Amino acid sequence: MPSATCPDAQSAAADMAEPELPRGEGQPIASEQILQGRSCVLIRHGDALYALRATRAGKLILTK
């Protein structure tokens, strides 16, 4: 008889799995390395300026 599993635990484990990276993209960079203790950093991409913010809930938000 198959063992019962909790769907929430399975989806949480899937969320924690490393995302598949495109070939040649290198290793992931920790957000702490980018933010360096700040809650917001500005990123220039071409002619646009973006703000990368860390929320109190531990999420990242990138806005233009």
Side-chain angles (χ1 to χ4, degrees):
M1 175 156 72
S3 62
T5 58
C6 175
D8 292 336
Q10 285 180 335
S11 63
D15 290 343
M16 295 297 291
E18 285 289 323
E20 243 183 79
L21 297 174
R23 292 174 62 118
E25 292 299 318
Q27 294 298 313
I29 299 171
S31 61
E32 294 84 5
Q33 187 176 354
I34 296 168
L35 294 168
Q36 298 181 355
R38 298 170 286 199
S39 61
C40 180
V41 294
L42 298 178
I43 302 169
R44 183 173 307 282
H45 182 67
D47 293 335
L49 192 62
Y50 293 82
L52 179 66
R53 299 178 193 281
T55 69
R56 283 183 242 154
K59 306 289 183 180
L60 292 176
I61 299 173
L62 182 66
T63 55
K64 190 169 183 182

